[in-house]
């Protein structure tokens, strides 16, 4: 089966069309898709050039799919002239929302930095996550909203950064070392912040695979080491009643929401 050409089109970053389009495509298991994103489609010239690209893809025999979050009416109309199956999220929802609110939409592309205070809060949270990654420092731990704790390569850093970027959460993380795992007590750096701790665990086989790519055939990556570290980490979580989640089959998006709920954290913007 030929892969369906998929175009995510936007006059901004394209994140909305990608997220919504991919959520729909995930329902069609076994069908191959070849994805491409075209952001900042903000002039008629760019729109006409894209139409040519889409039409060229259609000539290969498989009708392209276009997921659009273009606000501008003129540019959106140009895109729809391409030989493709079109799904425009603004066409689908904006008219109905205008009817419900009894007010016309502006159809103007808005900058995402409309509230400087909220934007600065998000950037501050990202900087906090970077400055408190992998136990670099416990300075300002009292300012953390949550401290993720787990063995090396269990998913702490990407989860912290996602919490910061998407929710403005100040997330630090602490890696459990072999020395930490050999004691019944909590590590010194996080001992005074137990109420902010959330643990991440992972299946040993998956951890072995990840570590093997990082340090092939090392003691650090051995399956025996992975099994022991995971077991010891989970014992610490249970002993100190620290809530924890298994990252093996969860996306970072799912983990973030689970942490927000478990720790009663609220989005900052």
């Amino acid at each position: 089966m030929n892969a369906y050409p998929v175009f995510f089109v936007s006059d901004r970053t394209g994140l909305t069309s990608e997220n919504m389009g991919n959520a729909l495509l995930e329902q069609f298991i076994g069908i191959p898709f070849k994805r491409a994103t075209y952001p900042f489609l903000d002039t008629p010239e760019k729109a006409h050039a894209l139409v040519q690209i889409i039409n060229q893809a259609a000539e290969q025999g498989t009708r392209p799919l276009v997921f659009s979050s273009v606000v501008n009416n003129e540019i959106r109309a140009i895109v729809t002239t391409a030989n493709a199956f079109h799904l425009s999220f603004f066409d689908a929802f904006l008219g109905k929302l205008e009817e419900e609110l009894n007010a016309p939409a502006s159809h103007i592309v808005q900058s995402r930095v409309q509230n400087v205070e909220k934007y600065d809060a998000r950037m501050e949270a990202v900087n906090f996550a970077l400055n408190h990654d992998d136990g670099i420092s416990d300075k300002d731990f009292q300012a953390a909203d949550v401290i993720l704790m787990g063995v090396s390569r269990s998913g702490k850093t990407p989860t912290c950064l996602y919490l910061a970027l998407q929710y403005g959460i100040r997330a630090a993380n602490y890696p459990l070392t072999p020395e930490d795992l050999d004691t019944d007590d909590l590590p010194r750096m996080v001992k005074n912040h137990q109420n902010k701790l959330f643990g991440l665990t992972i299946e040993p086989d998956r951890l072995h695979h990840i570590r093997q790519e990082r340090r092939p055939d090392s003691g650090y990556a051995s399956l025996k080491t992975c099994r022991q570290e995971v077991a010891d980490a989970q014992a610490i979580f249970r002993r100190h009643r620290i809530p924890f989640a298994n990252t093996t089959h969860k996306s970072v998006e799912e983990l973030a929401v689970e942490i927000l709920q478990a720790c009663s954290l609220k989005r900052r913007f």
Side-chain angles (χ1 to χ4, degrees):
M1 181 186 297
N2 292 331
Y4 279 85
V6 177
F7 294 85
F8 301 113
V9 182
S10 174
D11 41 18
R12 295 305 301 160
T13 62
L15 292 176
T16 298
S17 57
E18 283 183 347
N19 290 336
M20 297 184 72
N22 280 321
L24 294 172
L25 294 179
E26 286 173 1
Q27 300 301 309
F28 298 91
I29 300 171
I31 298 180
F33 300 106
K34 183 179 180 181
R35 298 167 170 86
T37 302
Y38 288 83
F40 302 112
L41 197 77
D42 49 12
T43 67
E45 291 76 18
K46 291 181 181 179
H48 284 298
L50 177 60
V51 167
Q52 292 184 2
I53 294 173
I54 296 172
N55 287 341
Q56 289 172 2
E59 291 173 0
Q60 304 303 313
T62 304
R63 192 182 185 199
L65 309 176
V66 175
F67 296 94
S68 168
S69 59
V70 175
V71 178
N72 183 278
N73 287 335
E74 179 186 5
I75 294 173
R76 194 163 69 247
I78 294 172
V79 173
T80 59
T81 65
N83 180 17
F85 175 77
H86 295 266
L87 281 178
S88 169
F89 298 114
F90 281 96
D91 281 339
F93 302 116
L94 199 57
K96 293 181 179 179
L97 195 55
E98 286 177 325
E99 292 179 9
E100 179 65 25
L101 300 177
N102 194 29
S106 66
H107 295 273
I108 296 173
V109 178
Q110 302 284 349
S111 169
R112 293 301 176 95
V113 191
Q114 299 178 47
N115 187 313
V116 175
E117 183 178 349
K118 290 183 179 180
Y119 182 81
D120 287 346
R122 180 168 59 167
M123 293 303 100
E124 188 274 333
V126 171
N127 285 328
F128 186 93
L130 292 172
N131 291 332
H132 296 84
D133 182 42
D134 265 352
I136 291 175
S137 170
D138 61 353
K139 182 182 179 182
D140 299 328
F141 259 18
Q142 69 276 6
D145 298 309
V146 65
I147 302 170
L148 302 187
M149 189 166 69
V151 300
S152 173
R153 315 310 293 178
S154 57
K156 301 181 300 299
T157 297
T159 306
C160 281
L161 289 173
Y162 187 85
L163 283 167
L165 190 59
Q166 297 297 325
Y167 297 99
I169 297 297
R170 291 190 293 267
N173 77 74
Y174 181 85
L176 288 168
T177 65
E179 292 75 18
D180 295 326
L181 298 172
D182 282 341
T183 178
D184 291 338
D185 204 1
L186 282 173
R188 177 194 59 80
M189 285 181 65
V190 299
K191 190 172 183 178
N192 293 329
H193 307 284
Q194 184 172 347
N195 64 318
K196 297 182 178 182
L197 295 178
F198 188 94
L200 295 184
T201 188
I202 186 172
E203 291 180 4
D205 288 349
R206 175 60 177 158
L207 182 61
H208 165 65
H209 176 76
I210 295 171
R211 289 184 175 184
Q212 186 71 4
E213 291 184 343
R214 184 175 177 84
R215 298 183 193 171
D217 302 321
S218 64
Y220 164 81
S222 74
L223 184 56
K224 179 180 178 181
T225 297
C226 293
R227 285 173 175 165
Q228 187 62 56
E229 288 191 9
V230 168
D232 290 343
Q234 291 183 5
I236 288 176
F237 300 152
R238 294 189 176 99
R239 184 182 307 120
H240 297 281
R241 298 182 180 180
I242 297 168
F244 65 95
N246 191 317
T247 66
T248 308
H249 302 295
K250 287 189 175 77
S251 67
V252 69
E253 294 89 348
E254 291 169 320
L255 282 170
V257 173
E258 185 169 343
I259 292 167
L260 291 175
Q261 292 180 333
C263 299
S264 300
L265 300 175
K266 302 295 184 184
R267 181 195 291 268
R268 276 205 169 83
F269 52 82

